[in-house]
Amino acid sequence: MVVSLSSHNVIQYLRSSDLCSSEDGTSSNSELPESKKNLNLLVTLADNRKLLVKQKRSIDLWDGKEQFFNEWLFDQLLEKFPVIGNIGAIASSVVHFDEENSILIRNYLSEYQELGNYYQQNDIFPQAIATTIGDTLGALHRATFNRREYRDFMATAPAGQFRYHFNNPAQGIESIAPEIFGMVPTPALKFYALYQKYDNLESAIGDLANDWQPCCLTHNDLKLDNILIHSRWEHLDNAIVRLIDWEACAWGDPAFDLGTLLASYLKIWLDSLVVDPTIELEESLQLAVTPLETLQPSMLALIQAYLKAFPNILEYRNDFLLRVIQFAGLALMHQIEATIKYDKYFDNISISMLQVAKNLLTMPQLAMLTVFGISESEILKPVAKLEKLPQPESKQNLLRLYYPKTRLRGC
C-alpha cells in the first residue's frame, strides 16, 4: 500500500524508517509552500536538526520516481567518487530514499535561502556570488568531462528498469493538437501562433537537439531557485552557495546548464517590465525596474569564472558560448510554456520574453553582445591569454533582443 505523507503522519513515517526517535517532534509550521510537483515537509527534530521530506504528488507515474532516483544516485556518486564530493558548493545530503513511495529525505540547510529570493528581497546582484557559481559549475563539468566511470555510474537504472540512453533536454514546444483550445486560455494561443509563424525558431531548436553531445555530468535544472546563498555569505571565504535539487541530473551538455542559469537572470529583467497598454514594447523594456545593465556584470562574472575553471571546453566545442546563448533562449521558451500550462497565464511580458528568446536562439552571435555587454572575443580574452585559444572576430554592432513593435499577424 502506498504511503501518502502529511504533517500529521510524517513523524510516524520517520520513526518507522529509523530516522528519528520517540522524543522527536515537528515544528508548528512543518509544511513548506506548495510545489507543483512535490509535497514538501520541513521537520524539526529534538536536537534542532531539520529534515526536508519530499514526496512526488503523482507517485503512480514513473517519471516522478525516476527523478527522485536520480537525486539519490547523485548522492551515491558523491560518496563513491570523493573528487566530486569535495567540490564545496555541491550539496545533496540525502539521508533516505523510498523508491516505492516516491519519498526523498535530505538534511535541510537552515542557514541558506534561495538565491532568487535573495535577489528579489535585496535588489542587488553581487559579482562574487555569480563568480562562485560559475567556478563551482565549471569544476563539476571539468571533473566529470569525458570520464567513462562517471558516465557509467549515472547510467545505473532502478531495479527492474533499463536506461537505453540519456534524455536530451533540447526540445521545442510540444506538438499542437485541437485539444489545446480547451486546455489553455485564449490569450495564450498567441504564443503558439507566433511559435508556428517563425520557421527559423523551430529550425534553431532542431539544430540544438541534433547537435546535442553529452560529455559530462549536468544538473539540467539550474535555475536561481535551485541555488542557495548563505545568510552570512559576505563574511565567509567559502561555502557561500549550494546547488540543490539534483532530480534531473544526468550525463549531458554543459552549455545547457549555463544557458538555463543565464535565462534565470534574464527573466529577472523581463519580469520587471512596466506593462501598460499605452506603452510600446520598446519603451517598456527600457523602463524595466531591473535594467539589463544591472544584471550584465553578474552574468559576465558567471561565464568568465566558468571558463577559467573549465577552459578545455572551448577546445572541445569552439561554438560553446553560442550554444550557451541559444540554450538561454530555449529555457525562456520553456518558461513561457510552463507558465501557460500550470498558471494558465500569458500577457505582454510573455510576448516580450518570446521575442527575446527568438533572437537568442536564431542570432546568438549578435545577441551575445547585448546579454553580456561585450563581444565574444572580449569574453574569451582572459582565457585565451592563459590557454592560447583562438579568438573569434570581434563584432561591433549590438543587437536588440526585441522588436520595437511585436507583430502578431496570423494570431
Side-chain angles (χ1 to χ4, degrees), residues 363-405:
M363 294 177 284
Q365 183 73 58
L366 294 175
M368 191 181 308
L369 283 159
T370 306
V371 170
F372 296 114
I374 63 175
S375 67
E376 182 181 8
S377 61
E378 292 174 296
I379 295 172
L380 296 177
K381 191 176 296 182
V383 183
K385 288 180 180 179
L386 296 175
E387 301 294 325
K388 297 182 180 180
L389 297 171
Q391 296 187 50
E393 181 180 351
S394 177
K395 302 289 184 180
Q396 298 300 324
N397 296 323
L398 291 176
L399 166 75
R400 292 183 184 272
L401 289 178
Y402 50 87
Y403 290 147
K405 294 184 180 180

Side-chain angles (χ1 to χ4, degrees), residues 21-204:
S21 65
S22 59
E23 298 178 355
D24 290 318
T26 62
S27 62
S28 57
N29 298 319
S30 60
E31 190 161 341
L32 295 177
E34 292 293 316
S35 167
K36 298 181 180 68
K37 300 186 297 181
N38 304 335
L39 170 71
N40 297 320
L41 297 170
L42 179 60
V43 178
T44 303
L45 304 180
D47 58 359
N48 208 35
R49 185 166 59 97
K50 294 184 178 182
L51 298 176
L52 177 60
V53 182
K54 303 193 296 184
Q55 183 175 38
K56 285 293 176 185
R57 293 188 179 279
S58 301
I59 58 178
D60 57 321
L61 299 178
W62 163 243
D63 63 339
K65 292 186 177 184
E66 183 179 28
Q67 288 181 345
F68 274 177
F69 178 84
N70 282 347
E71 185 161 357
W72 172 82
L73 186 64
F74 175 73
D75 189 78
Q76 299 300 300
L77 179 76
L78 300 185
E79 291 187 12
K80 183 176 178 61
F81 301 100
V83 172
I84 304 176
N86 289 336
I87 299 176
I90 294 178
S92 182
S93 303
V94 174
V95 298
H96 179 72
F97 172 53
D98 181 347
E99 182 179 350
E100 180 180 358
N101 295 295
S102 289
I103 296 172
L104 186 84
I105 303 175
R106 60 179 172 86
N107 290 320
Y108 183 75
L109 301 172
S110 56
E111 293 187 332
Y112 291 77
Q113 70 174 113
E114 291 180 0
L115 182 56
N117 289 340
Y118 173 86
Y119 283 154
Q120 184 177 20
Q121 293 169 7
N122 297 279
D123 197 29
I124 58 174
F125 308 92
Q127 295 181 45
I129 294 176
T131 296
T132 301
I133 297 171
D135 181 69
T136 300
L137 190 61
L140 171 66
H141 291 168
R142 183 192 68 235
T144 59
F145 179 66
N146 282 342
R147 297 290 295 271
R148 186 180 182 87
E149 63 270 35
Y150 299 137
R151 185 185 188 282
D152 291 346
F153 190 91
M154 293 307 298
T156 303
Q161 302 292 332
F162 296 94
R163 284 188 177 177
Y164 296 102
H165 57 81
F166 291 103
N167 177 54
N168 181 351
Q171 302 299 321
I173 304 305
E174 295 180 0
S175 299
I176 301 173
E179 292 79 12
I180 194 173
F181 292 97
M183 298 172 59
V184 304
T186 300
L189 295 177
K190 294 180 181 178
F191 169 67
Y192 297 98
L194 287 170
Y195 177 74
Q196 289 182 320
K197 173 185 174 183
Y198 298 132
D199 293 337
N200 58 344
L201 177 58
E202 192 168 5
S203 176

